[in-house]
Amino acid sequence: MEILGVDIGGSGIKGALVNVENGTLVAERHRIPTPQPATPEEVVEVVVQINRHFKWNGPIGCTFPAVIKHGVAYSAANVDKAWIGTNGEELLAKKTGFPALLINDADAAGIAEMEFGAGNGQQGLVIMLTFGTGIGSAVFYNGQLVPNTEFGHMEIRGKDAEDRAAGRVRKEKNLNWEKWAERVNEFLKRMEIVFSPDLFILGGGVSKKHDKYSYLLHTHADIKPAEMRNDAGIIGAAMAARSLL
Ligand code: BGC
């Protein structure tokens, strides 16, 4: 079964038809730069274009980097504030003409990793973290998602954790891997005190470079790099949209 998955990010909006039974992309993905400012109307217009590109007639699953409850965005840390209070699902359905599901980006990536990637078959408590512009989080207990956890906004040393340890911060502050890993360790330790997870899955842009920092991270829980890289959001969003059928 195929469903259109779309990953809405700060710099690009990427879509692909996904085979939701085996978690693979059916055709090459299509990327359009995120319009600036990334208002709901402008962003949804891009999703309409992606939908047209694939000549798709069916449900659409879309990620968004914010708290999403019943289709409505409740936060907008690194995106246009006009999203707060917007029912993205309604807007998407109205403009595309098809049922749409909106889901937090890290939750979507986690869904894909738990079924087809690093979390496959893992029981107990799994915390997926994505390190990019912000830090996204997704929690699973025996494979069941606990949505909208937003650990990137946990306070560490008076700041949002993501403003100390996101992939973006490593680049902006020119931190070497050791310095950045110290910050990540502090964050992971905090997670362990509260949740005692069995496994951390580390995703986002830095997962490509796992070898450069994984040996510097020290946790009781196992740590694995995400396996699905850039496609996890698209695939997880499409998988979540099965609920629309
Ligand atoms: C947002 C989260 C998102 C994460 C990764 C954070 O700033 O609050 O909703 O999952 O960035 O994009």
Side-chain angles (χ1 to χ4, degrees), residues 111 114 122-126 138-147:
I111 288 174
M114 288 303 288
Q122 176 74 45
Q123 292 297 296
L125 195 87
V126 180
V139 173
F140 294 84
Y141 187 66
N142 288 345
Q144 185 70 42
L145 172 69
V146 180

Side-chain angles (χ1 to χ4, degrees), residues 132-244:
T133 307
I135 296 180
S137 58
V139 173
F140 294 84
Y141 187 66
N142 288 345
Q144 185 70 42
L145 172 69
V146 180
N148 290 313
T149 44
E150 296 288 326
F151 295 148
H153 299 291
M154 176 180 269
E155 190 187 309
I156 295 189
R157 296 178 190 260
K159 279 191 174 177
D160 269 15
E162 70 176 23
D163 291 331
R164 288 183 44 78
R168 163 186 53 90
V169 178
R170 188 183 66 80
K171 291 189 188 145
E172 277 173 9
K173 297 210 181 284
N174 221 353
L175 300 175
N176 60 28
W177 290 108
E178 284 78 8
K179 288 273 169 235
W180 180 70
E182 266 173 35
R183 294 175 174 218
V184 176
N185 267 325
E186 195 173 15
F187 177 53
L188 296 179
K189 285 218 172 81
R190 197 68 80 75
M191 300 272 92
E192 291 215 290
I193 290 170
V194 184
F195 295 101
S196 300
D198 298 287
L199 172 68
F200 285 111
I201 302 175
L202 306 187
V206 293
S207 58
K208 293 193 269 288
K209 307 211 168 126
H210 197 72
D211 292 350
K212 301 221 188 263
Y213 58 84
S214 55
Y215 70 98
L216 299 165
L217 301 178
H218 307 293
T219 55
H220 295 294
D222 291 339
I223 297 183
K224 286 187 186 171
E227 289 174 9
M228 313 193 64
R229 305 276 157 89
N230 283 336
D231 294 333
I234 294 176
I235 294 170
M239 289 168 67
R242 283 180 296 196
S243 64
L244 298 171

Side-chain angles (χ1 to χ4, degrees), residues 65-67 77-78 104-106 130 134-136 150 153 162:
V67 172
N78 297 306
N104 172 266
D105 54 357
T130 62
I135 296 180
E150 296 288 326
H153 299 291
E162 70 176 23

Side-chain angles (χ1 to χ4, degrees), residues 40-53:
E41 293 284 338
E42 296 291 325
V43 167
V44 167
E45 187 43 47
V46 172
V47 180
V48 171
Q49 285 174 37
I50 291 177
N51 195 37
R52 264 194 224 122
H53 172 89

Side-chain angles (χ1 to χ4, degrees), residues 10 20 77 79 84 87 94 98 144 206 234:
V20 290
V79 288
I84 297 177
N87 190 322
K94 187 170 137 209
F98 297 103
Q144 185 70 42
V206 293
I234 294 176

Side-chain angles (χ1 to χ4, degrees), residues 79-132:
V79 288
D80 198 275
K81 303 292 177 246
W83 276 91
I84 297 177
T86 296
N87 190 322
E89 280 180 2
E90 268 176 25
L91 197 57
L92 282 160
K94 187 170 137 209
K95 300 284 178 174
T96 61
F98 297 103
L101 176 130
L102 200 62
I103 179 170
N104 172 266
D105 54 357
D107 286 348
I111 288 174
E113 287 291 336
M114 288 303 288
E115 186 138 351
F116 300 113
N120 180 259
Q122 176 74 45
Q123 292 297 296
L125 195 87
V126 180
I127 300 183
M128 159 106 189
L129 297 166
T130 62
F131 293 85

